[in-house]
Amino acid sequence: MPATFRRIARPDAVVLETSLDTELEKAVDGGKLTLYFIHLVVIKASNLINSDVGFNNTSDPYCVVTVGEISDRTEVISNDLNPTWNEKMSFFVPKKPEFLTICVFDDDSKNTFSSKDDELGSVKLEIGDHFAKTNGSSYEGELQLENVKTGSIFIKVTCQVMKPIETEVKLGFSKLQLEGKEQEREATVRALDESEQLREDAINELGAKEQEVIRTAEELAEKQRCHQTELTAKEKNILDQADIIEEKIQKYEEAQVALLETEAKKKEAETKLTAAEEKILEKAQELARKEVENAEALTAKEQQILAAADALEEKELAHEDARKRMAQIEGLK
C-alpha cells in the first residue's frame, strides 16, 4: 500500500466579481425604462346588426382595437354576422393604459354608394388594474357592444409590465452564474479524476495476484449489486480472499505497532533503576556535595561509588528516552 495519501480538496465555489444589484446600478438610467405590454386575441363576434341593404346582402365586419394612441385591426369577414377571427395583436406603450377600445365596423370599400364604413358597435374594457400583479393578469370573456341593439364580441387579453433593460441585465447576470457553475463542474470532474488516479496508484502497489483478486472482487460486487445472477461458490471464495487480503494488511499494521510497543517496554524495563541502585545514586550525590565542600579526601571506595553513580545516571537518561518512545507509540494506536 502507498506510504502516504493526500486528501483531494473539494473545489471551491466560484464567486462572481459582481452582483445583480451592481449590474442594475450600472444601468441606472435605462434600467428604469418601463413598457406596458398588452396581448389581445380577438376571437369572434355574434349577433351583429346588418347595416347593408338589399336581398342576400349582409355586413362585412372587422374589428379595430385601440390602446392609447396605437391601433390595430382584424381581417374583413365577408357577409357574416357571426364572424370568427382568432387574430392576435400585441401593443407596447410607455404609459400605463387604463382601458382599451374595440370597435366593430362594416367594410363598405366595395360599395360605391357609401363614403365610409358603418359602425356595428363598440366597447371599452378597463385594463389598468391588470398591471398591478407582478406577473400581470388576464381576462377572457364576452363583451356586449354598446350603441347598438344587438351584438357582442369575445376576446382574451393579457396585461403585463415589462422592464426590457432590467430584464436584459438579469439575463446577463444569470449567464455569468451559469458560467460559474460550469467552472465548478469542471473543477469537480478534475478532482474526481485525480482521486481515481490516486486509487489506481494505490492498487498498483499491491502484488500482481492481489491486484487480480481486487479487480475480480469489484466485478463480482458490481454483478451482485445489479442482481444479474447469484454468485457461484468459486466467486464467493474470491470475495472471501479479498477480505482476507484486507484483513492481512490490517493485521500487519497492528503487528508493527505491537512490535514497537514490545521493544519500548523492554527498553523501559532494562533501564529502570532498582532500589539498591537508587541508594547508590543518593550516596554518590552526598559524596559529591562532600567533595565540593572541601571535606576530607574521599576514600577509594567512595570514588568507586561516584563512578557507579555516573553509570546509573546514564541508565536513568536511557529510561526517560524509553518512556518518551512509549508515549509516541500510544499515539500511533
Side-chain angles (χ1 to χ4, degrees), residues 219-230:
E219 292 174 1
L220 294 179
E222 179 64 23
K223 181 179 178 182
Q224 193 173 38
R225 279 196 299 271
C226 296
H227 305 288
Q228 292 176 343
T229 183
E230 292 293 327

Side-chain angles (χ1 to χ4, degrees), residues 321-333:
D321 289 340
R323 288 183 60 198
K324 291 180 179 178
R325 180 61 175 163
M326 281 292 296
Q328 293 175 348
I329 293 172
E330 286 297 323
L332 293 175
K333 291 184 178 181

Side-chain angles (χ1 to χ4, degrees), residues 73-92:
R73 58 171 288 173
T74 66
E75 295 292 332
V76 174
I77 304 296
S78 299
N79 296 318
D80 196 340
L81 300 180
N82 298 284
T84 298
W85 290 286
N86 283 323
E87 289 199 30
K88 298 177 181 179
M89 304 177 183
S90 295
F91 301 88
F92 291 89

Side-chain angles (χ1 to χ4, degrees), residues 149-166:
K149 291 182 179 181
T150 62
S152 62
I153 189 164
F154 295 81
I155 66 167
K156 180 179 180 180
V157 60
T158 301
C159 302
Q160 187 173 2
V161 178
M162 303 187 70
K163 296 185 177 182
I165 304 300
E166 179 179 326

Side-chain angles (χ1 to χ4, degrees), residues 242-261:
D243 292 337
I244 291 171
I245 291 173
E246 295 290 343
E247 185 177 355
K248 176 182 173 183
I249 294 171
Q250 181 67 27
K251 286 183 177 180
Y252 174 77
E253 293 176 347
E254 293 174 355
Q256 288 293 103
V257 173
L259 179 60
L260 291 173
E261 183 179 11

Side-chain angles (χ1 to χ4, degrees), residues 6 8 189-199:
R6 61 186 179 86
I8 303 301
V189 170
R190 288 194 298 270
L192 290 173
D193 290 343
E194 191 174 356
S195 178
E196 183 64 22
Q197 183 60 49
L198 288 178
R199 180 178 179 278

